[in-house]
Amino acid sequence: MRFDGLTAVVTGIGACLPEQALSNDDIISAGALQTDDEWIRTRTGIVDRRRARAGTSTGDLAVAAGREALRSAAALPPPSGAQLPPDLLILATSTPDHPCPATAPHIAQRLGLGTIPAFDLSAVCSGFLYALITAAALVRGGTCSAPLVIAADTYSTILDPHDRETAPIFGDGAAAVLLRPGPPDSPGAVLAADFGSDGGGHHLIAIPGGGSRHPRHLPQPGPRSDYFGMRGREVYAHAVRRMTQSARSALQQTGWAADGVEAFIGHQANQRILDSVAERLGIPPPRVISNIRHLGNTAAASIPLAMAEAAAAGAVSPGARTLLTAFGGGLTWASITLNWPAAAPLTRPVPPDPSPVPAPDAPAPAPAPDRTRNHSWTPSSSTS
């Protein structure tokens, strides 16, 4: 999928991280894990990760990240800066606040965005790129003009603390980008995308119980089937192969050689996976952006968190050739090429917004303002 002509441009970026940082030793002690700090470091590259405190939800992190993305966009001068309020919100997550309803509409309400369309997208660790591809296509088709894409996960709520294969790997966090229409030579312009899935591997990364296949009120398929599970060795091989193939496809569509990529961000699953994919693609190590050492695997949020961190540090020049690639449960994978955005977070990642818990006798909130904009489903002539 190549976005010729008018495309989506990243015009704002923000991030949120829980304040609680846990070391490898903290995780080992909490779960009585039969491992040590050196084993975790050498096999994953992870030293620390952030964890949300009890009572903090995915939505709380997402609201804070979304607000920071809007502030970031407002700080850019026109035409790069935000000129329209968001007219769509997509939340990429596999740890929603509730099984039903979707978390995105409540996030939109908490951000004061009124009655805009809002929905959750679940592609596990590929979720941010799936959401970005979806939003870019909707911008190009004229369906929306300012989508807010948020990726947020709190895997601490679904992990078995006694599982050595998963407990040390994951951290919690959120990040968001605001998009607008713009030409493909703009900083932040989304240029090309590749994505796919293979349901034959659905069991490799999964929470087996609790869904309609195994409802909670019926016997479960295993003693700890309500926790997240992953078959690490098999996932490793799939992740390296799929991300490499997908990234090559996106590069080919864009007309870029791998050695011309100036910034490469892969899903922060495992440092050895990142290094292997970069090596296979022929991308030099100095151009590989990684934050897994101090944040762990933050699932759908990992790529935009790495983007936010690099943008805040000024580590990449606006307009630089950038390649993003991810792999997640499903199995799913995706890659995107874009020009590095001019936008950057205004602050370091903020802590999550506190959850609004109204009193039992609190009056009903005022109706949300109707900010729906009517968009034609037929692409305008400017997008052809």
Side-chain angles (χ1 to χ4, degrees):
M1 179 188 298
R2 178 167 174 161
F3 297 94
D4 294 315
L6 191 71
T7 187
V9 175
V10 175
T11 189
I13 184 167
C16 169
L17 289 172
E19 295 176 299
Q20 180 178 220
L22 298 181
S23 68
N24 289 338
D25 287 335
D26 292 331
I27 298 296
I28 293 166
S29 177
L33 300 179
Q34 298 300 308
T35 187
D36 56 35
D37 174 67
E38 182 181 2
W39 188 92
I40 297 172
R41 288 180 186 234
T42 57
R43 284 161 177 77
T44 68
I46 298 169
V47 175
D48 300 289
R49 75 285 293 145
R50 300 293 184 93
R51 291 284 172 88
R53 298 187 185 278
T56 299
S57 74
T58 293
D60 299 333
L61 274 63
V63 168
R67 183 174 292 117
E68 290 304 301
L70 298 179
R71 292 181 62 232
S72 168
L76 282 180
S80 298
Q83 301 178 52
L84 293 171
D87 55 0
L88 171 70
L89 192 153
I90 304 176
L91 173 66
T93 187
S94 48
T95 56
D97 287 5
H98 316 280
C100 175
T103 304
H106 193 204
I107 293 171
Q109 183 267 326
R110 291 174 64 183
L111 288 172
L113 301 181
T115 58
I116 65 170
F119 62 90
D120 293 2
L121 187 154
S122 180
V124 197
C125 298
S126 304
F128 173 70
L129 295 190
Y130 263 61
L132 190 55
I133 292 168
T134 301
L138 292 172
V139 167
R140 176 162 167 71
T143 304
C144 62
S145 55
L148 178 62
V149 176
I150 306 176
D153 271 307
T154 50
Y155 264 53
S156 61
T157 62
I158 59 174
L159 293 177
D160 180 351
H162 307 294
D163 182 358
R164 190 180 74 162
E165 297 297 321
T166 60
I169 306 299
F170 292 90
D172 301 335
V177 296
L178 182 68
L179 306 175
R180 65 165 178 83
D185 59 350
S186 303
V190 177
L191 303 177
D194 174 88
F195 59 151
S197 71
D198 178 7
H202 72 278
H203 59 290
L204 298 180
I205 303 172
I207 301 175
S212 61
R213 176 70 64 190
H214 299 287
R216 293 187 183 279
H217 63 279
L218 296 178
Q220 296 298 297
R224 306 189 76 78
S225 60
D226 53 343
Y227 287 113
F228 175 88
M230 181 171 61
R231 299 187 184 181
R233 290 185 180 181
E234 293 173 82
V235 168
Y236 184 102
H238 278 284
V240 171
R241 179 167 62 91
R242 292 300 189 182
M243 284 199 288
T244 301
Q245 292 174 344
S246 179
R248 284 175 177 159
S249 175
L251 289 172
Q252 183 178 20
Q253 293 177 61
T254 315
W256 292 352
D259 60 6
V261 171
E262 297 168 274
F264 170 67
I265 303 179
H267 167 53
Q268 308 289 297
N270 179 302
Q271 189 62 51
R272 293 190 299 163
I273 291 177
L274 291 174
D275 294 342
S276 181
V277 173
E279 182 180 1
R280 292 186 180 206
L281 291 172
I283 297 175
R287 301 177 191 176
V288 178
I289 295 173
S290 173
N291 63 6
I292 192 171
R293 177 180 173 86
H294 57 275
L295 293 185
N297 179 345
T298 50
S302 78
I303 288 178
L305 276 171
M307 289 180 65
E309 185 173 311
V316 185
S317 299
R321 294 183 172 188
T322 303
L323 172 64
L324 313 176
T325 188
F327 177 87
L331 301 170
T332 59
W333 56 86
S335 298
I336 283 178
T337 54
L338 76 158
N339 303 325
W340 189 264
L346 299 185
T347 63
R348 296 173 62 88
V350 297
D353 274 28
S355 298
V357 182
D361 57 350
D370 189 342
R371 294 181 179 172
T372 305
R373 290 200 281 279
N374 294 321
H375 295 289
S376 170
W377 285 96
T378 304
S380 64
S381 58
S382 64
T383 67
S384 58

